[in-house]
Amino acid sequence: MAEKTILSLHDISKIFPLRLAFWQKLLGVTPRGITALDKVSFSVPEGSIVGVIGESGCGKTTLAKVLTRLENADSGEVYYKHEDRNLLALTSSEFQKFRRRIQMIFQNPYGALNPRLSTFQTLKEPLEIYKKGTGIEEQAIHILNMVGLTADYLHRYPHEMSGGQRQRVNIARALTVDPEILIADEPVSALDVSTQINILNLLKEIQQKNNIALLLITHDLGIAKYICDRIIVMYLGEVVEWSDKDTFFKKPLHPYSEMLIESVPRFEDKNSGKAGALPKKIKPDKGCLFAPRCPYVISACREKRPPLKDGFPKVRFIRHL
Amino acid sequence: MNDLLNIEDIQVQFHVWNRIYQAVDGVSFTIPRRKSVALVGESGCGKTVTALSIMRLLPRPQAHIKQGKIYFDNQDLLKMSLPRYQKYYRGRLIGMMFQDPHSVLNPVISIQTQITEHVKYHLKMKTSEILDKANNIFQLVNLPAGEDILKKYPHQLSGGQIQRLMIAMTLMTDPSLIIADEPTTALDVTIQRQILDLLVALKSERDLSYLLITHNLAIVHYLVDIVCIMYAGQIVEWGPCEAIFQEPLHPYTRGLLDSVLTISKETKTKIRGIPGMVPEACDFPSGCRFHPRCPEKMNICSKEMPMLSENKEHAVRCWLYG
Ligand SMILES: Nc1ncnc2c1ncn2[C@@H]1O[C@H](COP(=O)(O)OP(=O)(O)OP(=O)(O)O)[C@@H](O)[C@H]1O
Ligand SMILES: Nc1ncnc2c1ncn2[C@@H]1O[C@H](COP(=O)(O)OP(=O)(O)OP(=O)(O)O)[C@@H](O)[C@H]1O
Ligand SMILES: [Mg+2]
Ligand SMILES: [Mg+2]
């Protein structure tokens, strides 16, 4: 691809070990783990909005945490622009210079804010470090206004605000430092539709004005369609489709993507969307991970895991005739 | 009165920094038996505070219920002694799924212990019975049964798993009313759909009612019969689901419906949303609270506050209609 990338990910894997009970260790049970990320590779073009979608528990938050170094990956590499050093291998002091450029908005607006700090205190610190000097309070108010909050919220503590108000403080904090890439984990799912639209328009505006990239983790396909340029679909820790937005919504390639698009509830129509029954055992030991739920499954699928196809859009699926 | 829940003219105030915030201002509605109601409205309009007043969980001492009555099954919930309320109502007959699950789960206690302690407080059940029941309910909400979840701690679960766990815990005590504050926001569409189907099925199987708090208008449709639209601490429109969706009356309701993003919507053009900000709860505009943002503002709107019309089917608080 000729375009410039800001972040490229290569084969990132992460397994959360399950702790064994004492007697299991004595019996020599081999530890199983939860594979949260399985060789995830993709890239984020500069100044673009990439949406990551996928089922609950498929590893989206873990991916975001790995990229911001809040969680260590077991293997894999991440490169930032032209830097030839793997971000994941940097020491934490070396990583410090990327901290400002890579900002994260957390999924859980409650845990992400320090309960002892008022909004002003939360915004003050990054403003002082990165924006130097004058008019910290005006700048803080300006940013609050951008996310639809008045100056009144400057001196409130997290527990004195509603869920959506907290989430907007959270977004405001990430915006204080002019990041180059913003990793946003379900940034608007706690917000009502009209605030949601305003925040999405704001993110899009900032993205266009400052040419920042946005990695947007969401389960809301409506949002993905409204704002994203590219779509990454994850299933059980692996990337199954990587496509551009228009192709994805017109003609999804992977059967799982098809299923996602079909199950979206539509408010015009009460009977839209259908839920496929889940099999008892979701994750097969071998073969295609989606095979147990796939409507097109044939015996070959249960034998070999299909690779992510070369070219673009990419898909991990072999359509057997 | 044969309604399950009856809320009459509730007013909740917060005292912060010598200011008074009128978070909920004269909200009344009823939940008829076997019917469900949704509270819908912009962030900060008072939905959670309304729910917390039913649960008697408003933060003390800042918050206080200035006036109003709440009847559940003809019992006055606000007058009842707290121990009685805690044992038989909160978490037992009235289940609540919180907007913030982490605030109710203890981070250092395993899921299993939290579930058994919760159930034992309300019901006489043996640990083994509780675990059997938990495993059954886990299956209903599509959580892996057995030790996969039970032996874990809250931070080891993903956002969606925690939310399903909250639903499972609520169902453990067989409540007759479930207050669900944004129950599916952290779930992807396929799981969300399964959870909704489950909630709908439970509704008829177990005679459940829901008070659903959400901003997702698409899911309102599946689950509830009556919709109350809130703005700045007041109900501005309520009516049967179909009426609200097909002929919304209040300009605010129409604005909300226009802001919904769906995949069937063309996205080449920018969707504007409702311009302006939700007013501060200590400083509401005069007259109709929505008038500064209203596209159909008239002279009277900034002068006098409209009343909720007395229509028994579909009421609206707007000068356009009266
Ligand atoms: N600290 C941890 N210890 C053990 N397992 C974990 C831990 N964190 C996450 N997991 C597991 O890893 C998997 C992926 O979790 P993750 O939070 O990345 O999911 P997600 O895609 O963000 O889901 P959601 O949409 O529900 O937020 C889940 O099965 C989860 O239970
Ligand atoms: N402890 C508190 N002290 C002061 N004000 C508060 C407190 N808790 C809530 N409020 C205010 O009360 C109003 C209503 O809050 P509430 O939590 O009910 O909103 P909500 O409708 O649930 O919004 P959301 O959709 O964002 O969760 C808000 O303006 C909020 O700032
Ligand atoms: Mg997550
Ligand atoms: Mg709320």
Side-chain angles (χ1 to χ4, degrees), chain A residues 16 34 36 56-62 107, chain B residues 152 156 158-161:
Chain A
F16 287 110
I34 295 174
S56 171
C58 73
K60 306 179 297 291
T61 302
T62 309
Q107 179 170 19
Chain B
K152 280 193 171 177
Q156 295 174 319
S158 81
Q161 287 168 335

Side-chain angles (χ1 to χ4, degrees), chain B residues 2-7 29-33 54 70-75 77 94 177 179 209 211:
Chain B
N2 209 12
D3 295 324
L4 184 66
L5 186 78
N6 209 327
I7 297 195
F29 62 90
T30 55
I31 305 182
R33 270 170 217 284
I54 303 171
I70 299 177
Y71 293 100
F72 178 83
D73 227 349
N74 297 329
Q75 301 283 324
L77 289 189
I94 309 180
L177 172 69
I179 301 180
S209 286
L211 175 60

